Amino acid sequence: MDATKVLSEQYYARAECIPALLTISTESQEWQVRQLAAVELRKRIPKYWEEIDDGLQQRMRETILKAIVDETNDLTRHGLARVISSIARSDVPNQKWGDLIQFLYKCCQSPTAAHREIGVYVLDSLFESIPDMMSAHMQHLFELFSALVSDPESLVVQVTTVEALGKIADFIEPEDRSAISKFQGLVPAMVQVLQKCLATNEEDLASRCFEVFNGMLILETPLLNRHFGDLIEFSINVGGNEELDDNLRIMALNFLVWTAT
């Protein structure tokens, strides 16, 4: 029997794999091992988390929150973030892990850029796992993200905040004029983030921003209307700028195509 089959049929087939994988993902000396363990842990949370007793669950929550702020590797941090999101999908509807959001708010206000990035990254992922609870926090999130989208130190924090705002956009109803106005007020700052990505030839980060703007074009709620003319002019200028990488220019032209559909 090969090792993969042994893992699947014996090790991963029991709830005991959850605390074991958490230990590996937080204590291994090799970041590649920690990252892989986090990936495997996230996959198995939906099946086994609720089989674990309450006391052990609480110790694991405390462990993972400490580990994610101590972790130095980006991929491993993101893996742990997705584990947190998966646990929250189970916990929050059952009125558990009530201090998670406040912990993330604290991360977002940390003087350490890596902590701010992971805070907003987890908040972004929670819109997929617990959307109803996150939409109930929209007012506070607007205030938080209005600061993070102009983060003074980290472009990654800014881009991740743009993505999180894209998730908020999905939950704004067409008749919610207050939320629409607040969101529209943040659009210029979001565009500035994209401009920074283009100016520094950060193709991957720019692509993530363009994806958010493209997504907002197809929403029923008119979130871009106030700045539509400026966005079109911006995209034309980017698309026609021969000093930029071709892929970045194509992204801008694709945005123009979306505006016409």
Side-chain angles (χ1 to χ4, degrees):
M1 184 178 294
D2 63 53
T4 301
K5 191 172 183 180
V6 170
L7 284 172
S8 298
E9 294 184 0
Q10 299 182 19
Y11 183 73
Y12 290 151
R14 298 178 296 170
E16 288 82 358
C17 73
I18 299 295
L21 284 168
L22 180 60
T23 297
I24 297 169
S25 67
T26 58
E27 296 184 9
S28 173
Q29 295 300 306
E30 302 295 331
W31 74 260
Q32 296 93 336
V33 175
R34 297 196 304 274
Q35 192 262 343
L36 179 58
V39 170
E40 296 299 331
L41 176 58
R42 179 194 58 80
K43 292 177 183 177
R44 284 153 186 87
I45 289 293
K47 184 173 183 179
Y48 296 122
W49 179 250
E50 294 188 8
E51 295 183 22
I52 298 171
D53 70 75
D54 290 346
L56 181 55
Q57 282 187 351
Q58 182 56 29
R59 291 193 294 275
M60 292 179 66
R61 294 185 193 102
E62 294 169 357
T63 296
I64 197 170
L65 293 184
K66 181 180 185 303
I68 201 169
V69 297
D70 291 342
E71 178 58 57
T72 57
N73 176 264
D74 287 343
L75 289 176
T76 305
R77 276 203 306 267
H78 289 172
L80 292 173
R82 286 185 282 270
V83 172
I84 290 171
S85 180
S86 184
I87 293 173
R89 187 192 300 270
S90 174
D91 276 1
V92 171
N94 293 320
Q95 308 301 313
K96 297 180 179 180
W97 216 353
D99 59 347
L100 173 61
I101 297 299
Q102 289 303 317
F103 170 83
L104 296 175
Y105 286 164
K106 185 177 179 180
C107 285
C108 289
Q109 296 166 339
S110 167
T112 303
H115 295 172
R116 296 195 299 276
E117 192 268 333
I118 203 62
V120 71
Y121 185 90
V122 177
L123 287 171
D124 175 51
S125 68
L126 291 179
F127 272 101
E128 298 176 5
S129 60
I130 48 173
D132 291 342
M133 191 274 281
M134 293 302 294
S135 60
H137 287 260
M138 191 174 295
Q139 175 61 39
H140 198 163
L141 290 171
F142 270 132
E143 297 173 3
L144 189 67
F145 292 163
S146 66
L148 291 170
V149 76
S150 300
D151 189 90
E153 182 181 357
S154 170
L155 184 57
V156 173
V157 170
Q158 295 175 20
V159 171
T160 308
T161 303
V162 169
E163 292 178 311
L165 284 166
K167 297 286 179 57
I168 284 182
D170 291 338
F171 293 90
I172 299 177
E173 298 293 339
E175 63 274 9
D176 191 345
R177 294 184 179 181
S178 175
I180 291 173
S181 178
K182 289 175 182 176
F183 192 96
Q184 289 176 335
L186 292 173
V187 170
M190 297 169 68
V191 174
Q192 287 179 3
V193 174
L194 176 54
Q195 288 174 323
K196 292 175 186 176
C197 295
L198 296 172
T200 54
N201 278 314
E202 292 284 357
E203 183 177 328
D204 178 63
L205 297 180
S207 176
R208 288 162 58 182
C209 291
F210 271 120
E211 186 174 345
V212 172
F213 283 107
N214 289 343
M216 287 192 288
L217 285 173
I218 63 175
L219 296 177
E220 182 181 355
T221 306
L223 297 174
L224 297 180
N225 288 17
R226 186 192 297 177
H227 307 283
F228 205 60
D230 292 337
L231 285 167
I232 290 177
E233 181 179 358
F234 168 75
S235 298
I236 291 173
N237 290 336
V238 172
N241 188 344
E242 296 182 357
E243 295 182 0
L244 290 174
D245 184 89
D246 286 347
N247 288 333
L248 297 175
R249 297 171 64 198
I250 290 170
M251 292 176 200
L253 295 174
N254 283 338
F255 178 81
L256 290 174
V257 171
W258 276 99
T259 65
T261 58

